[in-house]
Amino acid sequence: MDAGMKDIWLYVQHRDGAVEEPTYGLTAEARRLRASLGGGGLVTAVVLGNGPVAGLEEMGFHGADRVLVVDDERLAERCRGDVFARALAGLAERHGPACVLMAQTAETLDLGARSAALLETAFISRVMDLQVDEDGVLHAHRPVANGYLFERLRCTDPKAPIIAFLPAVLAESVPEGETRAEVLAESMGAVSLDGGARVLRVEEADPGELDIEEADIVVCGGRGVGRDADFDIIHRLARAIDGSVAGTRPIIDWQTLPYERQIGQTGKTVMPRLIVNCGISGANEYTAGMEKAQVNIAVNTDPRARIFRFADLGVVADIHRLLPHLCERLEALRGHEPPAAGKD
Amino acid sequence: MLTTALDYILVLAAVIVMLAGFARRPARVRQVVEESRRPADFGYFLSYILGHGRIVGGRPLAGIAHLAVFWGVGLPLVVIAFAQFPLVLPAGIAGLLSLVMDVLGLVVLAAGVYFLIRRLTSAPDLGAPRRVVVPLLLLLVIVLSGFVVEGARLRLTAAGYAWQSPVGWCCSSVLPASPLLMQAALRFHFFAVLLFVVLLPFTFMRHLLAASLNVLYRDRGHRGALTPAAGVVTENALLAGDRLFDAGQLLELDACVACGRCAENCPAALAGKVLNPRRVVQNLARCLEAAPVPAGGNIDASRLADAVSAEEMWACTGCMACVEHCPVLVRPLVKVIGLRRHEVQMHGRMPAEAVPMIRNLEIYGDVDGRGCAHRGDWAHGLDVPHLSERDVDAEMLLWVGCQGAFHPRYREVLRELVKILRAGGVRFGILGTEERCCGDAARRLGDENLFLSLARENMDVFNKYGVRRIVAVCPHGYNTLKNEYRELGADFEVWHAVECIADLIRNRRVTLRYPLEKSLAIHDPCYLGRVNGIYEPLRTVVRAVPGVRLTELPRNRERALCCGGGAGRMWLHEKPGQSINQLRAREIRECGVEAVGAACPFCLTMLEDGIGSLELESPPRVLDIVEIVAASMAD
């Protein structure tokens, strides 16, 4: 079959009936890939699950041509890699796409590896960039050795490889077109639920307690916040925006927070989507640990503080005047009851 | 005069007991000479002991009292020893000698009483050694009984006033004319002296020998160079073995008189940390005493290491104040680093917060983990030649260091330095991506292997380009390259940037025109000042800047307080006590200056942070000397 006519698939991650963010980033990659393969195939989003998922047609605005939906009660349990993989592999066998793109998460690492094994094809994880050479062969780039080196993989497997992109490299996609995607129902085929591991329960981590390296949102307090009881305002803000609490070195030296919550040269390096820096001057020893955050908000009384050089949004204000109002508004918006006093 | 053969036997017996006592001491001179390769340095020893400069300096009152006791006991001892021989002196000289001895006796008495009061009133928690009290009392008894003997003799022989012995004459006036009393006092005096001699090795007075030997066999290496770890250094690894300290170091432990000058000047002790250098040395010495060293000379390292807690050893900032101020040349700093080495090399234990930095050094060769590929980025657009370029015309290598290459503030300092050196017509080049961390922090955090591997990498590059002269901007790199790379075969000249700038100003190759209207104090970086004796160039350079009103901080030069960032403390947390940088910041604030000038990236960061934490209305600015010069330079 001519590679140019093959479809580019992307795997849609959804939760509670809504499409999750990294999926949209995949559409841009898929369109780019289709163009370099000759432009013949369709950008196809694949949805596996049970129950309606909102916004599938609107995937078209992001560049998906059609959406294949397998709605089956056997797919009701999230994270059952063995069942999902058999569904995905069956679908791929029937349609024969050029490749399947995924955003790398714990879920897709499991699903991708299993599907690749079933399809007897390659699974490439941690991909940062994917290119097609003149012969239509895929080349993937990915970091090794702690990001210090990069390796280039040449994918000679004739079958559709499964590619998992690092979520950090997937650009946020803004809807562009007006064309809605065509949504097609697909059947799952004969897949038995026997055996395998079952998910008994999904436990949400308390965002405030989440490891700061894992957290999407980090609220970090510095010397300007103060110690002990003064620091409670940071906990309150973190609760209001589901952030994880962190501190700079003085906060850790005062033992207001434990060592594992320190950001900076002698602490942890974080890359959250949002970091709120409160009362932090922004010495290099601190910023070395957070400069890779996506969105940076800084609140400090000193307008010349170095932290503002890193900030997307800078507020010159006293933490203890600004944050209580902010927290009240946020809590009201979310319908939170006032926080229980004396956390920890 | 000794009268019977029994007296001679008694003297002999006392000396034998004393020598036997000293022979059981852990420190062995033969090993010091053979193993630690420390030859005797008589010239220094004589100037040290006769001049007493090191003992008086820093603590004048106690030092002068010590000087008094030294001469007041030493001279009469020599005179009395000679008096045992049938020598005849002219009456005038003999009389003068007697007068001198009489007066000296009085002086010793006064000094002895002063010491006794000092000991008994000192706070016990400072660990002041009370074991000084017994020998001091004995000394007073000896002097007093000597006067009684003299008085009784005068009473029996001469009537009236004797100018040769005023004190003895005073005594004679209250004593009865009894030959028995004189004989009894003489025996008492004699036995007290014998007891003193016998007790020498068992009391505090052993410092007479141990401290003297320590001075005589002092380590003549540069104080900024840590000795390579005791043990076998192979091509790639250091097999630390169970030798924590070599014989020379053990002699130092024995020599410590626990005067506490180290603790008085130790930034960690001043800030209320657990570390007290005197206690470290004393605990190690006690540990050494508790179990004598076997004949082979091997000391159970782990037992020694247990004498000092991890918290103590990691609190040291490596500022060299304890070494600087020790009157008997003990180096507590070297002990602490030795203990860290043991902790790291033998047990793999290090404070958790330093581990990422050490890993960065291992993988990337710099403390920030930015990677050597970016090491030359700071010079972007400046067109600084790399030594690797063909036809490079460089008389000097500019050593950038990790802070110069990666710290945002210090990168600017480096760029200013380039401007100054260029204006002065210095032809220099950099190593760019071929430079690695000098290894100072790794070595002082106890990771000797990492230091060696970094140093070897750098040495290979130096040799490749035939480097003869280096100018370094970070005092830590300066010291390490200058003093510690010697052991790896380095034979290049190393200058610090401030020395270089002082030279350029002196030779009028750089003119400073724009004024800096500020009162400014110099914060002496430890690794320039105490470690390498560079105090004046900093001041010369700052004085050359028009408008600057130079003042001195209360603690300056040899007594300057550390910023708290040395010996890897930059990467460690401050646990108990105050922050050392805040302590120094408060001193700067109290001095009331508008700016403080330093010449070290760590000092800059630590002082800025310390001053920032005081939250002042108009805080003093922290400037690097290089920045001050660059701002004042005519374009």
Side-chain angles (χ1 to χ4, degrees):
Chain A
M1 195 192 281
D2 178 15
M5 293 306 291
K6 282 189 176 177
D7 297 342
I8 312 292
W9 280 19
L10 56 100
Y11 178 75
V12 176
Q13 287 193 68
H14 57 94
R15 188 169 191 186
D16 302 332
V19 176
E20 288 188 303
E21 184 59 46
T23 309
Y24 297 113
L26 284 174
T27 56
E29 289 294 330
R31 273 181 297 161
R32 197 177 49 74
L33 205 58
R34 182 183 56 179
S36 31
L37 278 171
L42 297 173
V43 172
T44 306
V46 180
V47 184
L48 306 181
N50 185 25
V53 177
L56 291 184
E57 285 186 4
E58 289 78 359
M59 295 273 303
F61 302 160
H62 292 271
D65 299 311
R66 57 173 184 163
V67 184
L68 302 182
V69 182
V70 181
D71 188 351
D72 195 294
E73 59 187 14
R74 283 170 291 178
L75 296 172
E77 271 181 56
R78 198 181 149 96
C79 309
R80 273 206 67 173
D82 52 341
V83 181
F84 276 64
R86 273 177 281 172
L88 183 64
L91 209 58
E93 292 271 337
R94 289 205 292 281
H95 292 271
C99 60
V100 184
L101 310 183
M102 298 176 171
Q104 181 167 326
T105 60
E107 203 177 324
T108 53
L109 272 179
D110 183 32
L111 172 65
R114 286 175 186 277
S115 310
L118 291 172
L119 292 166
E120 295 180 345
T121 183
F123 172 56
I124 310 173
S125 60
R126 298 199 316 278
V127 172
M128 296 187 73
D129 190 22
L130 193 63
Q131 300 289 347
V132 184
D133 66 12
E134 309 87 71
D135 305 325
V137 178
L138 287 172
H139 293 264
H141 289 252
R142 63 177 186 175
V144 287
N146 209 7
Y148 193 59
L149 298 171
F150 294 90
E151 66 179 7
R152 200 172 79 154
L153 302 169
R154 193 160 164 270
C155 184
T156 51
D157 205 310
K159 286 187 185 163
I162 298 176
I163 316 282
F165 282 91
L166 286 175
V169 304
L170 295 173
E172 270 180 57
S173 171
V174 274
E176 279 172 0
E178 292 288 313
T179 334
R180 289 178 180 271
E182 181 188 5
V183 179
L184 303 167
E186 290 279 335
S187 67
M188 183 162 163
V191 174
S192 128
L193 275 180
D194 295 341
R198 298 201 55 192
V199 176
L200 298 179
R201 194 169 63 240
V202 176
E203 284 183 13
E204 292 264 358
D206 176 357
E209 300 294 309
L210 201 62
D211 183 349
I212 54 173
E213 281 175 321
E214 307 268 328
D216 257 358
I217 299 174
V218 172
V219 183
C220 186
R223 178 149 42 211
V225 177
R227 55 182 86 189
D228 305 328
D230 284 341
F231 204 79
D232 287 346
I233 189 69
I234 300 295
H235 289 289
R236 187 173 164 200
L237 177 64
R239 270 197 303 280
I241 59 174
D242 286 343
S244 190
V245 175
T248 62
R249 183 163 147 176
I251 303 297
I252 276 64
D253 282 345
W254 294 336
Q255 299 183 350
T256 299
L257 284 179
Y259 171 53
E260 65 265 19
R261 303 230 148 245
Q262 186 192 339
I263 294 177
Q265 214 168 50
T266 54
K268 287 180 171 170
T269 302
V270 296
M271 283 176 260
R273 296 165 76 83
L274 169 69
I275 183 162
V276 187
N277 304 285
C278 306
I280 296 169
S281 65
N284 175 60
E285 287 64 33
Y286 167 69
T287 55
M290 51 60 81
E291 59 197 6
K292 288 179 187 147
Q294 284 180 24
V295 178
N296 227 309
I297 298 178
V299 188
N300 201 306
T301 45
D302 178 9
R304 286 168 305 167
R306 185 169 178 269
I307 192 72
F308 288 125
R309 287 193 222 166
F310 296 82
D312 298 288
L313 172 67
V315 185
V316 179
D318 182 349
I319 297 291
H320 294 288
R321 282 157 162 261
L322 176 78
L323 292 196
H325 293 295
L326 182 66
C327 290
E328 266 168 40
R329 292 284 290 277
L330 286 167
E331 282 154 10
L333 275 173
R334 297 180 51 161
H336 274 197
E337 69 277 23
K343 189 186 160 62
D344 298 336
Chain B
M1 189 183 273
L2 301 178
T3 46
T4 62
L6 181 67
D7 290 343
Y8 287 104
I9 292 170
L10 282 177
V11 170
L12 197 66
V15 169
I16 287 171
V17 173
M18 176 195 77
L19 289 178
F22 273 118
R24 289 175 61 86
R25 298 297 308 162
R28 295 206 165 81
V29 172
R30 195 164 45 81
Q31 278 177 17
V32 174
V33 178
E34 286 172 8
E35 198 187 287
S36 315
R37 302 227 173 76
R38 294 193 189 177
D41 187 353
F42 288 102
Y44 179 81
F45 178 71
L46 281 179
S47 74
Y48 171 94
I49 203 90
L50 297 180
H52 255 62
R54 228 188 137 84
I55 300 170
V56 176
R59 223 183 236 181
L61 202 55
I64 288 167
H66 189 276
L67 186 70
V69 173
F70 173 75
W71 283 109
V73 172
L75 203 63
L77 201 65
V78 172
V79 170
I80 290 169
F82 274 106
Q84 307 310 312
F85 300 99
L87 296 170
V88 182
L89 288 174
I93 294 179
L96 206 62
L97 211 56
S98 168
L99 177 67
V100 168
M101 281 179 54
D102 218 51
V103 173
L104 277 179
L106 212 55
V107 167
V108 172
L109 205 60
V113 169
Y114 164 74
F115 275 137
L116 204 58
I117 293 170
R118 212 166 148 267
R119 274 298 153 231
L120 293 176
T121 53
S122 70
D125 60 304
L126 290 177
R130 287 286 165 86
R131 64 207 155 88
V132 189
V133 171
V134 170
L136 264 180
L137 283 174
L138 202 52
L139 191 67
L140 293 180
V141 164
I142 289 170
V143 176
L144 287 173
S145 60
F147 281 132
V148 170
V149 172
E150 184 74 347
R153 191 177 61 81
L154 284 175
R155 183 89 177 122
L156 282 176
T157 53
Y161 179 71
W163 65 271
Q164 297 97 330
S165 28
V167 185
W169 179 75
C170 287
C171 290
S172 74
S173 61
V174 292
L175 290 171
S178 152
L180 186 68
L181 173 74
M182 193 195 109
Q183 271 308 315
L186 188 61
R187 301 315 292 172
F188 188 74
H189 182 71
F190 175 59
F191 286 133
V193 171
L194 285 188
L195 187 63
F196 191 81
V197 169
V198 165
L199 286 181
L200 270 181
F202 308 103
T203 65
F204 173 78
M205 282 302 143
R206 65 167 158 270
H207 81 274
L208 248 68
L209 191 71
S212 300
L213 285 177
N214 194 46
V215 175
L216 183 61
Y217 292 101
R218 78 200 164 103
D219 184 354
R220 285 197 258 181
H222 193 282
R223 72 158 54 152
L226 285 174
T227 19
V232 187
V233 181
T234 65
E235 186 58 34
N236 295 313
L238 175 116
L239 309 172
D242 57 355
R243 301 295 313 279
L244 192 50
F245 301 123
D246 67 7
Q249 303 240 35
L250 299 182
L251 179 61
E252 284 178 26
L253 294 181
D254 220 23
C256 173
V257 293
C259 67
R261 296 187 201 190
C262 47
E264 262 170 31
N265 290 285
C266 172
L270 287 170
K273 312 278 180 204
V274 195
L275 175 65
N276 178 321
R278 164 162 70 181
R279 197 171 51 227
V280 167
V281 173
Q282 285 293 306
N283 281 349
L284 287 174
R286 212 161 295 145
C287 199
L288 205 57
E289 254 174 35
V293 190
N298 274 13
I299 293 124
D300 183 5
S302 56
R303 214 192 57 236
L304 268 188
D306 288 344
V308 180
S309 72
E311 220 173 325
E312 282 175 272
M313 68 178 86
W314 293 113
C316 173
T317 68
C319 75
M320 206 62 77
C322 50
V323 179
E324 172 78 37
H325 295 281
C326 179
V328 292
L329 313 188
V330 179
R331 299 170 301 169
L333 166 74
V334 182
K335 311 287 170 294
V336 168
I337 304 292
L339 291 164
R340 285 184 178 184
R341 269 182 196 158
H342 181 77
E343 193 80 349
V344 172
Q345 304 275 137
M346 299 302 287
H347 300 290
R349 290 191 294 245
M350 184 184 271
E353 62 267 27
V355 172
M357 184 277 268
I358 289 290
R359 191 176 305 139
N360 282 336
L361 280 179
E362 283 169 350
I363 301 174
Y364 306 110
D366 68 76
V367 293
D368 287 349
R370 305 279 167 138
C372 52
H374 298 290
R375 225 180 153 96
D377 290 1
W378 66 273
H380 188 71
L382 287 180
D383 205 24
V384 180
H386 289 214
L387 291 194
S388 57
E389 287 166 22
R390 226 185 293 163
D391 310 325
V392 67
D393 176 31
E395 54 183 343
M396 234 182 197
L397 165 68
L398 171 58
W399 179 262
V400 179
C402 299
Q403 301 298 314
F406 299 114
H407 193 282
R409 169 81 185 269
Y410 228 64
R411 285 167 79 133
E412 294 307 314
V413 173
L414 252 294
R415 293 175 72 91
E416 304 279 33
L417 181 62
V418 167
K419 196 174 104 183
I420 298 168
L421 293 179
R422 283 218 170 118
V426 180
R427 288 173 290 117
F428 62 94
I430 56 172
L431 291 176
T433 57
E434 288 179 276
E435 189 184 287
R436 296 288 177 279
C437 171
C438 63
D440 160 80
R443 184 169 224 192
R444 278 159 183 78
L445 281 172
D447 200 338
E448 186 74 2
N449 281 334
L450 182 53
F451 164 74
L452 284 175
S453 76
L454 289 166
R456 286 208 181 99
E457 272 189 80
N458 283 324
M459 279 303 297
D460 286 347
V461 180
F462 293 152
N463 290 335
K464 186 164 93 182
Y465 297 123
V467 171
R468 311 296 314 153
R469 294 174 85 195
I470 299 179
V471 54
V473 66
C474 166
H476 295 262
Y478 164 75
N479 176 62
T480 299
L481 294 182
K482 186 178 175 188
N483 301 317
E484 300 200 311
Y485 278 29
R486 289 269 164 80
E487 76 191 63
L488 296 161
D491 65 338
F492 36 70
E493 243 179 80
V494 187
W495 291 56
H496 187 262
V498 170
E499 288 181 289
C500 224
I501 294 172
D503 210 42
L504 293 177
I505 292 173
R506 197 180 314 119
N507 296 327
R508 298 182 193 288
R509 284 161 73 181
V510 165
T511 355
L512 304 185
R513 182 198 291 165
Y514 299 109
L516 178 74
E517 297 291 348
K518 274 191 196 313
S519 58
L520 182 137
I522 298 282
H523 165 84
D524 285 294
C526 307
Y527 277 75
L528 275 193
R530 268 188 296 271
V531 178
N532 286 296
I534 300 178
Y535 299 109
E536 273 323 306
L538 280 83
R539 290 161 176 82
T540 317
V541 168
V542 169
R543 274 196 212 100
V545 178
V548 170
R549 298 185 300 284
L550 184 65
T551 46
E552 290 288 353
L553 292 168
R555 278 188 236 254
N556 62 60
R557 293 193 169 85
E558 289 84 359
R559 294 177 56 79
L561 186 70
C562 176
C563 69
R569 289 250 15 124
M570 189 75 195
W571 293 274
L572 300 181
H573 286 168
E574 300 259 4
K575 285 195 185 99
Q578 315 177 51
S579 297
I580 294 169
N581 60 342
Q582 292 175 21
L583 204 64
R584 186 59 163 168
R586 258 176 245 128
E587 292 189 359
I588 293 167
R589 181 194 59 191
E590 278 155 24
C591 195
V593 286
E594 291 162 285
V596 59
C600 170
F602 299 121
C603 292
L604 232 55
T605 304
M606 294 305 277
L607 293 182
E608 267 190 344
D609 183 68
I611 289 173
S613 72
L614 299 182
E615 296 182 354
L616 305 175
E617 276 292 306
S618 52
R621 289 193 61 198
V622 185
L623 298 167
D624 197 277
I625 306 262
V626 171
E627 293 176 310
I628 297 172
V629 171
S632 166
M633 216 166 62
D635 291 319

